Amino acid sequence: MACASSLFAAVPLASPVAVFKLTADFREDTHPKKVNLGVGAYRTNESQPWVLPVVKKVEQQIASNDSLNHEYMPILGLPEFTKSACEIALGKDNPAIADNRVGGVQCLGGTGALRIGADFLHLWYNGTNNPSTPIYVSAPTWENHNGVFGAAGFTNLRNYRYWDPAKRGLDLQGFLEDLEKAPEFSIFVLHACAHNPTGTDPRPEEWQKIAEVMKRRSLFPFFDSAYQGFASGDLDKDAWAVRYFVSQGFELFCAQSFSKNFGLYNERVGNLCIVAKDNDNLTRIRSQMEKVARTIWSNPPAQGARIVATTLNNPQLFAEWKDNVKTMADRVLLMRAQLKEKLQKLGVPGTWDHITQQIGMFSFTGLNPTQVDFMIKKKHIYLLANGRINMCGLTTSNLDYVAESIHEAVTSSQCQ
């Protein structure tokens, strides 16, 4: 009897996730000067992961608390976590919170928060299950945005203009024009701060223009807030856009991640903050999100949420956390300033002001695919094909080498 073919013989091999493939390639590289500027995770000046001191302290407190157990969490999450997470995003004194029309859903990281929101919108947005509702993401955006909304069932994924490669900054005019042209009730995915991958954020006065068009055109804002506090070192400054939209009367979703600002990458701590029209709407929305979560992960994990909730609800720990976050943000700002200075001293062709004008973990260098290929293959410096680098991958030890390599990459490509 002949052996039967596998039932899965026709399954194609999927392409690897680019940023994690980059890290795998980096690990296999034996070159003594290799540098990883790819994956979005904080690194110390010694190129090591950093467990925040406040996180270590809270973990020890949790471990010694005999009253805790491993019973199931509520489907919508740890209440003290979702409450404090929403307060961080909106500000404790936000009128929307006082009006009892703000609530959260604990999710598996920021990605889970995006997915719960996307699934809910696919089922219930604007009173209809309409997969053809336009979903707009910035051009460029974090690669997973399209994947998450596509997996949720949306079929009409579009781009809005955002990055102007000529000036290496925000294309505000194009952004506003695309908002004006979008069909009413379209959903726009907005980066709350530290735009990924460009590191370019609208200024407050530009956010005001964006909000004005979105309100007039009845467009729905879905914020992705992955870097609050990590971008500028100031929690309130990094939440300005979200809070402004709330002040303008928007109903909105805000997907929060605590991977970066708490260094809890593998705990998958996320929250979907919902700002509804009133408490009745909020109650009904959360009831449906509970059903969505039940079919995906049923109950969220406790450890990371306990760490975040304990920290945010204790004034002493909260102050220590803010100091830890500022330590990370300040190192990134220092690397930006030093990289720009070294590139300018080397006389690298082009302008490099955007390095310090951008904010957050990532910088959109402006290097083209040919130059990126040179950096990886010739210099063993690993970055994404679109030229995005993780500023945390830079250290005082490798900064000169990276700057000199960028100089070689740019000048050699000009000679070809």
Side-chain angles (χ1 to χ4, degrees):
M1 181 178 175
C3 293
S5 174
S6 168
L7 296 171
F8 307 105
V11 176
L13 183 66
S15 301
V17 177
V19 68
F20 292 105
K21 173 65 164 58
L22 202 68
T23 298
D25 291 344
F26 167 80
R27 285 173 179 161
E28 293 176 5
D29 193 336
T30 58
H31 194 274
K33 287 190 173 182
K34 67 178 182 177
V35 181
N36 186 5
L37 302 180
V39 71
Y42 181 77
R43 293 292 181 265
T44 65
N45 194 50
E46 293 71 41
S47 297
Q48 296 301 311
W50 191 46
V51 180
L52 275 59
V54 72
V55 168
K56 283 186 178 180
K57 184 181 295 184
V58 174
E59 284 178 322
Q60 290 169 357
Q61 290 180 11
I62 291 172
S64 62
N65 187 344
D66 292 334
S67 69
L68 297 176
N69 55 50
H70 295 287
E71 290 294 296
Y72 285 119
M73 293 262 282
I75 294 175
L76 292 178
L78 188 68
E80 54 265 43
F81 164 71
T82 56
K83 179 177 182 291
S84 56
C86 288
E87 288 174 349
I88 281 291
L90 305 184
K92 270 190 177 183
D93 59 350
N94 195 295
I97 293 177
D99 291 342
N100 200 22
R101 58 188 183 90
V102 174
V105 177
Q106 185 184 334
C107 302
L108 300 188
T111 304
L114 287 165
R115 180 58 188 269
I116 285 287
D119 279 347
F120 171 83
L121 292 171
H122 179 255
L123 291 169
W124 297 108
Y125 179 60
N126 202 26
T128 180
N129 180 346
N130 186 1
S132 64
T133 297
I135 302 287
Y136 283 83
V137 300
S138 63
T141 194
W142 179 49
E143 61 175 12
N144 217 14
H145 280 151
N146 283 306
V148 167
F149 283 90
F154 285 101
T155 58
N156 192 359
L157 302 175
R158 305 182 183 184
N159 291 324
Y160 60 87
R161 283 171 283 177
Y162 192 88
W163 172 254
D164 183 341
K167 68 176 186 181
R168 296 186 177 180
L170 179 68
D171 182 3
L172 179 65
Q173 190 58 40
F175 191 167
L176 294 174
E177 288 175 3
D178 289 342
L179 289 170
E180 293 282 8
K181 294 175 183 175
E184 283 192 333
F185 304 111
S186 294
I187 298 166
F188 274 73
V189 180
L190 306 171
H191 299 234
C193 67
H195 182 275
N196 181 4
T198 71
T200 296
D201 291 345
R203 298 188 300 271
E205 61 270 22
E206 294 172 329
W207 274 122
Q208 290 172 342
K209 293 177 181 178
I210 292 163
E212 186 278 320
V213 178
M214 291 190 71
K215 189 173 185 180
R216 176 164 44 80
R217 300 281 304 137
S218 299
L219 305 174
F220 183 78
F222 194 148
F223 280 97
D224 186 353
S225 180
Y227 303 97
Q228 186 182 356
F230 196 99
S232 67
D234 185 325
L235 292 167
D236 297 325
K237 183 177 180 180
D238 292 347
W240 192 91
V242 178
R243 296 177 185 182
Y244 180 75
F245 272 68
V246 174
S247 76
Q248 297 305 296
F250 281 90
E251 293 182 279
L252 59 81
F253 290 168
C254 179
Q256 296 171 267
S257 169
F258 293 91
S259 293
K260 307 297 192 300
N261 55 19
F262 267 84
L264 294 172
Y265 302 97
N266 64 11
E267 294 289 352
R268 309 309 300 137
V269 191
N271 180 63
L272 181 63
C273 184
I274 305 150
V275 180
K277 200 73 174 174
D278 51 40
N279 180 258
D280 177 60
N281 273 283
L282 175 66
T283 301
R284 288 184 285 105
I285 291 168
R286 291 180 84 231
S287 76
Q288 292 296 336
M289 288 189 175
E290 186 174 48
K291 290 189 175 296
V292 173
R294 173 66 171 157
T295 63
I296 304 177
W297 54 69
S298 189
N299 307 80
Q303 179 72 358
R306 284 174 176 162
I307 293 170
V308 173
T310 301
T311 304
L312 298 184
N313 287 294
N314 179 301
Q316 219 171 357
L317 294 171
F318 181 61
E320 186 176 345
W321 173 62
K322 287 197 293 184
D323 186 61
N324 290 173
V325 172
K326 193 172 188 308
T327 295
M328 294 188 287
D330 286 349
R331 196 181 101 68
V332 171
L333 291 170
L334 177 65
M335 290 299 99
R336 286 187 179 280
Q338 291 188 354
L339 177 61
K340 173 187 168 182
E341 180 185 1
K342 290 183 183 298
L343 292 172
Q344 290 177 334
K345 280 186 177 179
L346 288 168
V348 183
T351 175
W352 298 97
D353 291 337
H354 60 284
I355 298 292
T356 51
Q357 291 168 352
Q358 295 166 359
I359 194 168
M361 179 174 283
F362 302 116
S363 175
F364 219 46
T365 58
L367 295 176
N368 62 42
T370 300
Q371 293 163 344
V372 169
D373 192 60
F374 175 89
M375 293 281 285
I376 295 173
K377 292 182 177 177
K378 300 292 185 182
K379 310 305 291 186
H380 305 269
I381 297 173
Y382 291 81
L383 65 159
L384 292 186
N386 60 14
R388 189 198 82 174
I389 63 172
N390 175 10
M391 298 303 300
C392 306
L394 294 174
T395 70
T396 51
S397 298
N398 65 30
L399 199 57
D400 284 333
Y401 178 66
V402 171
E404 290 161 4
S405 298
I406 291 174
H407 184 232
E408 284 187 51
V410 173
T411 53
S412 64
S413 65
Q414 288 182 337
C415 295
Q416 292 176 359

